[in-house]
Amino acid sequence: MPNRTLRRRRPDRPRRIAFRVLRAVQVDGAYANLELARALAGAHLEARDAAFVTELVAGTSRLAGTYDAIVAVASGRDQLDPALAEVLRLGAHQLLSMRVPLHAAVGATVDLAAAEVGEKVAGLTNAVLRKVAARDLDAWVAALAQGRDDLDALALRTHHPRWIAQAYRDLLGDEAETALAANNEAPLTTLVVRPGLAGRDELGGEPTPFSPWGARRAGNPAEVAAVAEGRAGVQDEGSQLMVAALAHVPAPAGPWLDLCAGPGGKAALLAGLAIGERTRLLASERQPHRAALVAGALGVYTGEHAPVVIAADGTRPAWPAGFFARVMADVPCTGLGALRRRPEARWRRSPADLTALVPLQRSLLASALDSACPGGVVAYVTCSPHPRETTEVVDAVLSGRDDVTVVNAPAVLGVPDAARGDFVQLWPHRHGTDAMFCALLRVNDQAGRGRR
């Protein structure tokens, strides 16, 4: 009898590339969008194949937890070899969320499993995927939800872990399902000009509805001349609006600070606006390799008020207290507000990450306030709506100080349906942006200076 292993087809390149990107995400902690861009840049695929890889990576990352639950039922196993589990997720996505015919999805995935995991798993892969294909996605979700409470059912329907669904429901009530569902819709790329170096009319596409500096467009951003030349970049409109909030609030004349500047998107916008005010931005980033990214983004600005980039720890400032008129504190966070663009984060993050991040967030906010001059303004920003790293951080830091006044940030920004008390909260389903949070805090003209 001929050896069937010798007659098995080699996996097609798009599926193999998608598998290896997803393994890098799982094994090396890579970001799916960045690893995908790197892989596609070196693959030289035709546009159709590149789009197929993109959907495989993004879609499988987005629904990974749901697919794991389906595969567990279909296989009767709670534990699988990690590489095989990745192959089965890819197969499940093709069967349940893409228009790939059954024979093609199963056959190609079996070939992939045999090549990447081993011939011994080919039969199991075939059997599991045929059981997966016996129901559509809605039927699988309904079956998995049987006997679960309402919160579990919400999490299953919207493809999020329970703890994230809980946070959204606590914040939004009946609106939570719409908000969670919006995290599953891939956004158009949003571009932003470098103020003073490019005009929005150079970006093409559709102007952003709230930011005066951006436009949304399909296609490769590098094909836009202003982007290729560094006079524009890629930045979600929500991030642009965080800069707008800080730039528009009245503040004294003086230098500006970006306390946690990496990788440089907000810093590049701030730098151009600071130059327009005939002042300078200091961009600080603790990690040297990220500081280098910031320097690259800001290198297009030259002249008397060109920005300065340093590698420094924001909790141990390398500058004197009370020196800056405007301070951006875009602190490290869970990234739960950017799940449209980083779909794997919902399964990678856990409540333990909040516990680890909150002390750093509080320390950075306190440092930012100490860095502002009398009358100066601090923007505390996170790409997360979760109360523990937004309102609770602000409340905790301000409870120990009598030298800070909360500014009405929604009134400053002027974006509808963005008020969360005196703070700004953007949402994908309301504003078409990442779920960015912003608190504007003014340091009073008296008392409390130099406090660390």
Side-chain angles (χ1 to χ4, degrees):
M1 178 180 293
N3 188 328
R4 293 188 63 191
T5 302
L6 297 179
R7 294 192 294 109
R8 186 174 296 287
R9 292 183 304 175
R10 295 177 60 186
D12 62 272
R13 284 190 72 216
R15 287 180 174 86
R16 200 162 208 170
I17 291 169
F19 170 80
R20 291 180 177 177
V21 169
L22 290 168
R23 290 305 291 149
V25 171
Q26 291 295 323
V27 176
D28 303 327
Y31 289 116
N33 59 338
L34 300 181
E35 186 68 17
L36 173 64
R38 185 199 63 76
L40 290 179
H44 307 294
L45 296 174
E46 294 184 1
R48 181 176 179 179
D49 286 341
F52 185 67
V53 174
T54 299
E55 174 55 31
L56 282 176
V57 170
T60 302
S61 296
R62 190 176 295 119
L63 272 70
T66 302
Y67 294 147
D68 284 349
I70 292 170
V71 165
V73 173
S75 67
R77 302 185 184 189
D78 292 330
Q79 296 289 333
L80 289 166
D81 175 87
L84 176 59
E86 201 70 75
V87 170
L88 292 171
R89 290 185 198 113
L90 277 167
H93 186 62
Q94 294 168 67
L95 290 168
L96 300 178
S97 299
M98 298 178 69
R99 297 178 180 177
V100 180
L102 172 65
H103 70 278
V106 173
T109 305
V110 169
D111 292 339
L112 179 65
E116 294 288 350
V117 186
E119 180 67 29
K120 63 181 182 295
V121 304
L124 175 62
T125 302
N126 179 74
V128 171
L129 291 181
R130 291 190 180 279
K131 289 182 180 179
V132 168
R135 294 171 170 162
D136 63 20
L137 182 59
D138 288 342
W140 271 114
V141 168
L144 291 170
Q146 287 183 1
R148 307 277 191 102
D149 63 20
D150 289 345
L151 183 58
D152 265 351
L154 173 64
L156 281 166
R157 285 195 305 274
T158 59
H159 313 295
H160 289 75
R162 178 185 173 96
W163 72 278
I164 296 178
Q166 176 77 68
Y168 271 65
R169 195 172 70 174
D170 290 347
L171 287 166
L172 293 168
D174 292 340
E175 198 180 346
E177 183 152 3
T178 301
L180 289 163
N183 288 338
N184 298 327
E185 299 173 8
L188 275 178
T189 300
T190 304
L191 305 182
V192 61
V193 298
R194 307 298 186 224
L197 301 179
R200 183 156 70 167
D201 59 332
E202 297 183 60
L203 302 180
E206 180 183 353
T208 45
F210 307 117
S211 167
W213 307 298
R216 294 175 181 152
R217 69 185 302 277
N220 184 354
E223 296 174 355
V224 178
V227 174
E229 296 163 5
R231 298 181 296 109
V234 176
Q235 185 179 43
D236 182 74
E237 187 183 13
S239 293
Q240 298 177 39
L241 291 173
M242 300 299 97
V243 173
L246 179 61
H248 292 166
V249 65
W256 299 8
L257 171 66
D258 190 343
L259 188 70
C260 311
K266 294 183 182 67
L269 186 50
L270 284 165
L273 297 174
I275 291 171
E277 296 294 324
R278 302 188 63 78
T279 191
R280 175 176 280 124
L281 173 75
L282 174 65
S284 175
E285 171 56 45
R286 184 176 66 85
Q287 300 178 1
H289 74 280
R290 285 172 61 85
L293 294 176
V294 178
L298 273 57
V300 291
Y301 292 112
T302 60
E304 179 184 359
H305 299 294
V308 175
V309 180
I310 63 172
D313 185 345
T315 66
R316 299 177 179 179
W319 49 83
F323 188 71
F324 295 97
R326 301 179 194 269
V327 180
M328 172 65 71
D330 179 16
V331 301
C333 69
T334 56
L336 299 184
L339 297 181
R340 303 177 306 159
R341 291 184 293 107
R342 291 185 175 169
E344 77 282 358
R346 71 186 70 186
W347 309 112
R348 177 181 289 174
R349 291 295 194 182
S350 73
D353 293 307
L354 286 170
T355 301
L357 283 166
V358 165
L360 175 61
Q361 292 164 346
R362 292 181 180 182
S363 181
L364 287 167
L365 176 53
S367 179
L369 291 167
D370 288 339
S371 299
C373 68
V377 178
V378 171
Y380 175 77
V381 171
T382 70
C383 190
S384 170
H386 200 288
R388 288 191 61 191
E389 52 189 341
T390 55
T391 55
E392 291 180 18
V393 168
V394 175
D395 290 345
V397 172
L398 296 194
S399 68
R401 314 181 64 118
D402 59 2
D403 63 331
V404 179
T405 300
V406 176
V407 178
N408 188 328
V412 171
L413 192 59
V415 173
D417 298 320
R420 186 171 167 185
D422 285 331
F423 309 134
V424 162
Q425 180 66 66
L426 302 177
W427 294 101
H429 69 294
R430 291 183 186 174
H431 307 106
T433 69
D434 288 347
M436 303 293 299
F437 170 88
C438 179
L440 294 177
L441 308 170
R442 188 183 303 281
V443 175
N444 299 335
D445 290 343
Q446 71 283 339
R449 303 311 310 148
R451 190 179 307 173
R452 286 278 181 252

